[in-house]
Amino acid sequence: MSQINRISSGLIDQSKTLNFTFNGKSFQGHPGDTLASALLANGQTLVGRSFKYHRPRGIFSAGSEEPNALVELRRGALQEPNTRATVTELFDGLESFSQNHRGSLERDLMAVNDLFSVFLTAGFYYKTFMWPKSFWEKFYEPMIRHSAGLGRLSMQEDPDTYDKGFLHCDILIIGAGPAGLSAALTAARSGVRVILADEDFLLGGRLNAETFNINEQAGSEWANAGVAELASMNNVRLMTRTTVIGAFDHGIYGALERKTDHLDSSNGKPRQVLWRIYSRRAILCAGATERPIAFGNNDRPGVMLASAVRSYTNRWGVTPGKKVAVFTNNDDGWRTATDLAARGVEISAVIDSRRIDPPAHVSGAEIHMGGQVTDTSGRHAIQSLKLSNGKTIQIDCLAVSGGWSPNVHLTCHHRGRPQWRDDIAAFVPGGELPPGMFVAGAAGGSLSLGDILSEGHSLAQQAVKAVGKPPASDDAPRADNELSNTSAFWHVNHGRHRAWLDLQNDVTVKDVKLAHQEGFRSVEHLKRYTTLGMATDQGKTSNIPALAIMAECTGKTIPETGTTIFRPPYTPVAMGALAGRARGSDFRPRRLTPSHQWAEEQGAVFVEVGMWMRAQWFPQAGETHWRETVDREVLQTRESVGICDVTTLGKIDIQGRDAATFLNRVYCNAFAKLAVNKVRYGLMLREDGIAMDDGTTARLSETHFIMTTTTANAVGVFRHLEFCRQCLWPELDVHLISATEQYAQYAVAGPNSRKLLQKIVDPEVDISNEAFPYMACGDITICGGVPARIYRISFSGEMAYEISVATRYGDALIRALMSAGEAFNAIPYGTEALGVMRVEKGHAAGNELNGQTGAHHLGMGRMASQKKDYIGNTLARREALCDDNGVRLVGFKPVDKTRSLAAGAHFIREGHTATTENDEGWMSSVAYSPTLGYSIGLGFIKDGQNRLGEIVNAADPLRNADQLVEIVSPHFVDPEGEKLRG
Amino acid sequence: MADYTLTAQSPLGGFCRTFADTELSEVTDRAIISMAIPEGGETAFAERISSAYSCEIPKPGQSLQSSADDARLVWMQRDQFFLLPKYTDHNVTSAVHEKLGDTAYLSDQSDSWVLLRLSGPQSMAALERICPIDLYSESFPVNAVSRTVMEHMAAVVIKEGENSFILMGLRSYAHSFLHALETSLTNIAA
């Protein structure tokens, strides 16, 4: 099919031809075309169906404000719905499809909705689907959901990748139209770092769509030369296809760069990059958006914004029609008539709602000053229009201009409210702008080229000064100020026909009046009741006319009526771009333990612990259930010896003359007199007296300690200690550094642990019970001189050691330990067996240190020193935290030992009802004890220490699993600690 | 002769890969030791650094290259510096203690970090995708150092030369850290 509407080459490259399809039909276009310009060139006026009434719709605008021409691009998993044809750059092989119709685009079965439009007014579904009640879930909701939305998702994973990034500049210039280019040139010539970003692939903005001259040069040529100058400067970063989507705090802007959307394939590179731009100053040069006038049947294909008609003709060499009429309320609309006439397009009529002298001469056109369009006709495209005087004019394109709305969006992202200017009948940026932001050109309400250029120039000078540099002494670009008078005329009152405001959501003038009638009068209510200004275009063309009509209804002024809140993003952003790389296994980084590779080789099952991957258990051949594996790991450890990677526990290297004093203040128990080469268990409280973390701390010398924390609290404890050191006691000589990563550390537990380690340590090292008793520690050498540190501590309740080496030896050490352990049938155990053994031994862990429990609750009340001051000391004395009758950590075993206990059960005295008043505590941790052969639990119950042997109900109404349990000592295994010390 | 011997492993096994003219390689010939100045010991420390390493104490945000042991001194935080000498044995603490005596609290950090060198014309473009700090010469000159976060991972960036950076990540994150950098280099490649 030939390009019947292509009348010149405009700014496209006609030497090359690009093939593309629309609904399977083949078309041709050229480099520089958008999908919209190419469709118009080929005479494809009908491109989609409207949201609610399924009315035929055509291309309405030439930019990102497009409400109508939403299409699906590409196929299969790459299919993307709701893309705007007006900003889709044409490439060879592009496949596009119309959306929101059943059957063909031309014969959409859903168009029947249009016949029932009288029932489908704003809020119809709030009123319609009320009865019968039972129909809502099964019938109405699925039906509405089925009808909702426009395009279809592929329902497959997006095969494209996305990325993010960070950029820095002195001055960010948003928009590369006349104001932006003028500002960028001056800023760049001043030597500051400039980023110039524009959503278009061709920089120049309206200069490429108009026939203006700058410095006696065609506007588009001036833009082209300016861009070339900027591109040659290494202090400038030009970003085409980049939309600045939001103004955030501290001069930070979000920007979406479309890297490969204009290409046939992404070739494995990120399709889009979401940038965070740090700017010292920003100049918003986002231009303005033309708005339509509402009149009867103003939604037919062929009814377009006047500036868009001009853009297609001047920039893309395409006339959207052969017989064009213009309906305007301002001078700017006339330029569409004169520009098209100059290119030989027939202008049938110019209708201006103002009763003034015609501002221009348009040869061959009927001129109707004070005229209004009341109706249009034509099934799939406009064929004629009807004037208020009853006259009908045959046309195939109607260019409408209702004036311009400055793109104030980014100025409002910090909740700024725009201000109304009567002279241009538009909102302009007002109140407080985001700090560091200037607004130049049409975005600030300047609608004539001469003003726009000099504003860009002078604001750039101001911004350069503001970042501390002298501005360049260049002259502002010169241009005439074209006529730009306008009037406030929003909609034609004649006739009964529906007059559209929001083409995307099928909101008409009548809907706004209905919203008013039904009491939804605030703009925010209006928006939500009628869906005005929602979806991909966010009402860029419709919001202002709609609120002007609401103002008419309420008798208020437009500024009194106000606008809805502007929020980022300025234009739609793919969810993939927001996710960036953070997908699948890249969602977050992983920390691997020194034994990770070895554990993988053993077929370990891993569990995420924070960012760490820890071995949860090590299944052996023939084991069919995790419990089978874990039971074996526990029993074998208790019978002989087991090895566990405990590297993930936080380790903090603490040095300084006052290190002992420091520890004495952060732990609730005494530390000042801990002997060198000894380890002590410590409990740390929060300032409010609640337990924060526990662990062991070893004294390596008079001035040197190493603290361990729980895995989960490693960072939190370090931060807390830094706070104490820097803010509470800056006078102390204490220095902290994390050593978590520095040492690979393994627990070697079980009756044969010493024998195993004796095969590893160097011959001169004595780790006999006499030389190295329980709670000893020391620096030793192993395996022929490798420095290591050994601690005689136990979490399992067995005789146990923890041995640490520099992480570089971590992999080698686990292999050496396992090899040395063969003689004892040593096994590795994972976090699950670790957990079982700690419950058997009655050690508190995260479930017990849950932010509700203090030292007394944990049974460590006597450990908390009365003789010194420490963090939490004062508030731990609050009655509820040290009440003798308060809850205490004790053990529980089921009366019926065949049953499993469940954490979360609450304890109720036998015979009492399970109510909140009767609640005596809760079960915090449970495990199946392979050592005992039944389920055991730890939990908190009132006065627990004095109730051993009592039977209580572990109420579990949610799981319907109440059962009787016996209160026992929390130390299920080796209560006297003989094994530990053996 | 011991029954078992332990062989040291670097975090990434000596990784090295080039992306066109830009190279990403693991640095394996460095020890890292943290030096913290005892309260009131600033002068004594400065004197020992001066005599042992013939250089001053780096200022905040700065690192300095010493001729002794090819060491780099890096400012890390108030009263805390990292020394990165050319040294691969595991007893760097005693080696440095010989030079500095008790003028600083020493803590071996050699096994806490993975060190990667990113050098070549695409270095900045690659870092743009993950590194939030401004690495341009004016704001981040050669020898500048900064702590930052890349892809949720704590990191230290040291500018060795124009288009050459030492990137320090935590050792347990080594593979994720490398993956982040490799992805950046792949994503920007033409």
Side-chain angles (χ1 to χ4, degrees):
Chain A
M1 191 171 167
S2 63
Q3 298 175 44
I4 53 167
N5 285 336
R6 188 81 71 181
I7 54 171
S8 73
S9 65
L11 299 177
I12 58 164
D13 176 9
Q14 275 189 309
S15 69
K16 291 194 193 106
T17 298
L18 305 174
N19 294 297
F20 71 102
T21 65
F22 177 68
N23 286 344
K25 223 156 108 184
S26 295
F27 294 103
Q28 293 183 331
H30 303 287
D33 262 328
T34 61
L35 177 58
S37 70
L39 286 170
L40 284 173
N42 287 280
Q44 181 70 40
T45 321
L46 173 65
V47 298
R49 289 280 173 169
S50 75
F51 176 57
K52 207 156 73 172
Y53 306 126
H54 289 254
R55 301 259 298 181
R57 289 288 166 81
I59 292 156
F60 185 66
S61 75
S64 60
E65 69 270 34
E66 178 62 30
N68 266 353
L70 303 183
V71 291
E72 283 169 11
L73 298 181
R74 305 178 198 253
R75 276 180 188 275
L78 289 165
Q79 176 186 308
E80 189 179 21
N82 301 338
T83 58
R84 290 150 295 159
T86 49
V87 292
T88 300
E89 210 172 330
L90 197 68
F91 58 83
D92 200 46
L94 174 66
E95 292 181 284
S96 60
F97 306 89
S98 57
Q99 51 188 36
N100 202 37
H101 48 83
R102 272 181 226 166
S104 72
L105 171 62
E106 287 74 20
R107 295 171 188 280
D108 177 7
L109 297 173
M110 292 297 284
V112 68
N113 279 7
D114 201 29
L115 300 176
F116 298 111
S117 63
V118 67
F119 302 112
L120 299 180
T121 52
F124 74 93
Y125 48 92
Y126 304 130
K127 301 167 186 165
T128 314
F129 301 112
M130 302 292 287
W131 46 261
K133 207 177 162 190
S134 61
F135 270 40
W136 177 252
E137 229 171 86
K138 292 197 176 83
F139 182 69
Y140 295 140
E141 193 185 337
M143 188 181 80
I144 293 168
R145 283 195 187 283
H146 187 71
S147 309
L150 293 162
R152 292 160 303 163
L153 289 167
S154 71
M155 304 310 284
Q156 295 175 56
E157 194 183 336
D158 185 350
D160 274 319
T161 62
Y162 299 81
D163 209 351
K164 293 188 186 179
F166 307 87
L167 297 175
H168 303 261
C169 63
D170 292 317
I171 301 178
L172 167 67
I173 295 164
I174 302 159
L181 282 174
S182 170
L185 284 164
T186 297
R189 287 166 186 159
S190 309
V192 301
R193 280 164 66 192
V194 173
I195 292 176
L196 175 62
D198 195 287
E199 59 182 356
D200 205 334
F201 54 91
L202 181 67
L203 300 182
R206 288 300 301 166
L207 293 177
N208 294 320
E210 305 285 2
T211 48
F212 300 138
N213 285 329
I214 299 175
N215 294 353
E216 286 85 44
Q217 197 178 6
S220 62
E221 284 169 26
W222 178 84
N224 197 21
V227 169
E229 181 183 339
L230 291 167
S232 71
M233 301 165 90
N234 57 18
N235 57 328
V236 179
R237 184 174 185 129
L238 293 178
M239 301 182 77
T240 55
R241 304 182 176 98
T242 303
T243 308
V244 176
I245 56 167
F248 303 96
D249 286 339
H250 313 297
I252 295 172
Y253 289 80
L256 183 76
E257 183 178 8
R258 291 170 295 279
K259 286 275 191 189
T260 66
D261 283 1
H262 62 294
L263 302 176
D264 176 39
S265 157
S266 297
N267 290 314
K269 299 290 179 239
R271 177 186 167 216
Q272 298 175 345
V273 179
L274 186 60
W275 294 103
R276 183 189 296 185
I277 303 177
Y278 296 83
S279 71
R280 297 174 70 194
R281 292 292 183 278
I283 309 179
L284 180 70
C285 308
T289 300
E290 196 171 24
R291 58 205 183 208
I293 299 170
F295 53 88
N297 288 313
N298 61 336
D299 67 328
R300 293 191 198 285
V303 179
M304 299 173 70
L305 291 173
S307 63
V309 171
R310 207 151 76 227
S311 300
Y312 286 114
T313 310
N314 290 331
R315 175 171 168 181
W316 286 287
V318 172
T319 178
K322 302 288 188 200
K323 286 162 75 73
V324 179
V326 174
F327 179 30
T328 182
N329 66 1
N330 65 79
D331 294 347
D332 191 69
W334 285 79
R335 260 206 321 284
T336 299
T338 50
D339 279 10
L340 265 68
R343 293 188 187 268
V345 179
E346 184 187 331
I347 302 297
S348 308
V350 179
I351 303 110
D352 193 324
S353 62
R354 300 172 296 176
R355 294 185 185 281
I356 57 169
D357 291 333
H361 173 72
V362 184
S363 59
E366 293 178 28
I367 306 294
H368 296 272
M369 299 311 292
Q372 294 180 6
V373 178
T374 56
D375 193 12
T376 68
S377 70
R379 185 155 173 247
H380 286 157
I382 189 168
Q383 287 175 349
S384 68
L385 62 80
K386 199 171 176 187
L387 293 178
S388 43
N389 61 14
K391 185 166 184 185
T392 298
I393 303 173
Q394 304 297 315
I395 50 159
D396 58 2
C397 174
L398 175 55
V400 182
S401 179
W404 291 81
S405 299
N407 291 327
V408 300
H409 305 65
L410 270 72
T411 69
C412 300
H413 284 178
H414 289 195
R415 283 260 164 167
R417 292 286 190 172
Q419 287 170 356
W420 183 255
R421 249 177 68 183
D422 267 328
D423 61 326
I424 58 168
F427 279 106
V428 295
E432 257 182 71
L433 300 184
M437 182 190 276
F438 299 86
V439 186
S446 299
L447 297 176
S448 296
L449 186 59
D451 296 344
I452 288 169
L453 292 166
S454 60
E455 240 178 66
H457 177 260
S458 68
L459 288 179
Q461 287 185 320
Q462 278 186 43
V464 168
K465 276 188 215 154
V467 300
K469 292 242 169 125
S473 56
D474 60 344
D475 292 327
R478 279 169 291 102
D480 293 335
N481 270 335
E482 68 278 14
L483 290 176
S484 63
N485 291 322
T486 188
S487 65
F489 178 74
W490 309 104
H491 69 114
V492 174
N493 247 331
H494 296 271
R496 301 164 289 107
H497 305 290
R498 278 172 292 166
W500 266 261
L501 290 162
D502 185 329
L503 294 166
Q504 187 152 88
N505 292 298
D506 269 340
V507 181
T508 64
V509 173
K510 214 164 84 182
D511 291 320
V512 175
K513 290 181 174 169
L514 183 69
H516 170 258
Q517 191 183 316
E518 299 193 339
F520 296 96
R521 291 169 193 180
S522 121
V523 281
E524 299 289 357
H525 288 161
L526 169 67
K527 172 175 177 167
R528 277 136 193 104
Y529 191 60
T530 62
T531 68
L532 173 93
M534 296 185 176
T536 63
D537 71 342
Q538 288 287 295
K540 287 192 174 64
T541 57
S542 60
N543 281 347
I544 305 294
L547 68 90
I549 290 162
M550 180 56 85
E552 274 179 26
C553 295
T554 55
K556 290 182 179 172
T557 63
I558 292 174
E560 278 169 349
T561 306
T563 63
T564 51
I565 297 278
F566 294 90
R567 294 186 181 89
Y570 177 66
T571 51
V573 179
M575 294 306 286
L578 296 172
R581 296 181 189 179
R583 285 166 61 169
S585 59
D586 287 348
F587 182 67
R588 57 180 175 185
R590 298 194 314 166
R591 303 179 77 177
L592 304 186
T593 63
S595 66
H596 188 86
Q597 193 190 334
W598 175 84
E600 266 185 347
E601 290 166 17
Q602 309 311 308
V605 172
F606 291 94
V607 58
E608 288 180 13
V609 182
M611 293 201 193
W612 286 104
M613 300 298 290
R614 292 190 77 180
Q616 198 170 10
W617 58 83
F618 294 82
Q620 284 187 354
E623 290 174 343
T624 56
H625 189 274
W626 67 270
R627 261 278 308 283
E628 199 180 349
T629 307
V630 172
D631 288 355
R632 173 186 51 75
E633 289 175 8
V634 171
L635 290 173
Q636 221 164 324
T637 300
R638 295 215 185 278
E639 273 159 28
S640 180
V641 58
I643 298 166
C644 183
D645 190 331
V646 293
T647 303
T648 61
L649 272 77
K651 309 179 201 78
I652 303 172
D653 189 87
I654 304 171
Q655 298 192 57
R657 296 188 296 270
D658 299 317
T661 307
F662 178 77
L663 286 167
N664 212 36
R665 292 184 189 178
V666 295
Y667 278 129
C668 73
N669 49 322
F671 262 83
K673 290 179 184 146
L674 178 65
V676 171
N677 287 335
K678 286 288 179 190
V679 187
R680 185 169 290 171
Y681 172 82
L683 179 67
M684 218 178 266
L685 304 184
R686 308 192 309 211
E687 195 67 83
D688 63 2
I690 298 288
M692 178 166 72
D693 198 58
D694 67 344
T696 58
T697 290
R699 187 166 206 167
L700 305 173
S701 78
E702 280 304 312
T703 59
H704 193 181
F705 293 80
I706 189 146
M707 174 190 283
T708 64
T709 73
T710 59
T711 300
N713 288 333
V715 173
V717 169
F718 190 92
R719 188 183 294 145
H720 170 68
L721 297 187
E722 276 291 353
F723 173 78
C724 295
R725 181 183 86 89
Q726 294 183 34
C727 306
L728 301 183
W729 315 306
E731 71 283 1
L732 295 187
D733 180 43
V734 181
H735 298 268
L736 308 171
I737 191 158
S738 170
T740 306
E741 306 269 337
Q742 179 65 23
Y743 301 107
Q745 192 151 324
Y746 298 102
V748 181
N752 284 321
S753 54
R754 184 183 300 132
K755 286 184 194 155
L756 190 159
L757 285 172
Q758 275 164 342
K759 298 177 75 170
I760 295 283
V761 301
D762 285 343
E764 64 277 16
V765 177
D766 183 1
I767 56 168
S768 66
N769 200 33
E770 297 69 38
F772 202 75
Y774 180 58
M775 292 309 235
C777 75
D779 285 335
I780 59 166
T781 59
I782 62 170
C783 300
V786 173
R789 196 167 281 153
I790 188 164
Y791 309 85
R792 176 95 186 264
I793 52 178
S794 175
F795 196 48
S796 56
E798 295 298 319
M799 175 171 78
Y801 299 81
E802 289 190 13
I803 181 165
S804 76
V805 289
T807 307
R808 70 185 75 177
Y809 297 116
D811 177 80
L813 180 57
I814 185 69
R815 291 172 200 275
L817 287 168
M818 290 311 298
S819 177
E822 271 172 27
F824 312 105
N825 217 4
I827 48 100
Y829 64 92
T831 54
E832 206 63 40
L834 179 94
V836 171
M837 288 191 277
R838 76 98 187 162
V839 175
E840 288 182 338
K841 182 63 188 170
H843 283 309
N847 289 8
E848 285 71 44
L849 275 62
N850 68 344
Q852 294 177 282
T853 52
H856 286 273
H857 304 143
L858 292 161
M860 298 186 207
R862 266 178 294 171
M863 210 173 95
S865 173
Q866 304 292 313
K867 296 175 190 156
K868 60 160 190 170
D869 197 14
Y870 55 90
I871 289 189
N873 181 25
T874 306
L875 292 179
R877 293 166 198 258
R878 285 181 293 170
E879 197 181 339
L881 287 182
C882 54
D883 181 5
D884 280 343
N885 298 320
V887 298
R888 290 292 180 275
L889 181 65
V890 286
F892 295 89
K893 63 182 186 187
V895 169
D896 175 357
K897 290 192 176 127
T898 61
R899 291 190 64 176
S900 296
L901 300 180
H906 278 248
F907 301 120
I908 309 287
R909 265 180 209 275
E910 228 188 326
H912 287 63
T913 48
T915 59
T916 309
E917 306 83 74
N918 292 334
D919 187 358
E920 297 201 297
W922 68 98
M923 188 92 80
S924 53
S925 297
V926 299
Y928 174 78
S929 165
T931 315
L932 300 172
Y934 53 84
S935 182
I936 58 171
L938 296 176
F940 296 88
I941 189 166
K942 270 182 194 158
D943 199 24
Q945 75 279 23
N946 297 319
R947 293 169 67 183
L948 301 186
E950 189 181 325
I951 308 286
V952 294
N953 178 20
D956 199 349
L958 212 59
R959 288 170 288 204
N960 197 22
D962 288 17
Q963 65 175 308
L964 295 176
V965 294
E966 183 187 339
I967 304 174
V968 294
S969 154
H971 311 295
F972 293 93
V973 168
D974 189 30
E976 304 307 320
E978 286 157 9
K979 286 175 153 202
L980 296 174
R981 296 178 174 83
Chain B
M1 186 63 196
D3 293 339
Y4 304 95
T5 52
L6 302 182
T7 312
Q9 271 182 1
S10 77
L12 294 168
F15 175 91
C16 182
R17 184 176 162 192
T18 54
F19 298 77
D21 41 10
T22 299
E23 186 179 274
L24 180 65
S25 58
E26 186 183 1
V27 178
T28 54
D29 63 350
R30 297 277 143 181
I32 305 169
I33 189 156
S34 148
M35 308 177 291
I37 310 177
E39 183 76 12
E42 291 79 2
T43 317
F45 176 69
E47 282 169 8
R48 288 300 275 276
I49 287 287
S50 174
S51 60
Y53 293 98
S54 323
C55 67
E56 301 167 6
I57 297 175
K59 293 184 173 53
Q62 203 189 47
S63 72
L64 293 170
Q65 183 65 43
S66 160
S67 49
D69 302 333
D70 192 25
R72 183 174 285 275
L73 277 86
V74 184
W75 183 91
M76 290 301 290
Q77 64 174 50
R78 199 179 153 204
D79 293 338
Q80 189 195 77
F81 305 85
F82 275 8
L83 181 75
L84 279 68
K86 200 162 205 165
Y87 193 89
T88 52
D89 208 354
H90 54 229
N91 55 353
V92 66
T93 313
S94 41
V96 174
H97 188 260
E98 275 175 28
K99 296 195 176 197
L100 298 181
D102 291 332
T103 60
Y105 299 114
L106 304 179
S107 185
D108 191 354
Q109 290 272 304
S110 310
D111 294 63
S112 299
W113 303 84
V114 55
L115 262 60
L116 284 157
R117 175 176 285 117
L118 177 63
S119 60
Q122 294 301 308
S123 305
M124 298 272 278
L127 287 172
E128 248 172 31
R129 296 292 173 95
I130 48 173
C131 178
I133 57 176
D134 186 1
L135 299 173
Y136 278 77
S137 312
E138 265 184 50
S139 36
F140 202 72
V142 172
N143 288 331
V145 58
S146 181
R147 276 182 179 264
T148 185
V149 173
M150 297 190 208
E151 293 289 284
H152 311 285
M153 291 174 278
V156 177
V157 182
I158 303 169
K159 195 166 189 172
E160 270 192 323
E162 289 300 335
N163 290 321
S164 184
F165 299 88
I166 297 282
L167 308 169
M168 297 171 60
L170 290 168
R171 181 169 180 138
S172 63
Y173 289 100
H175 288 94
S176 291
F177 194 59
L178 175 65
H179 178 65
L181 285 157
E182 280 191 284
T183 306
S184 299
L185 283 154
T186 312
N187 283 355
I188 58 158

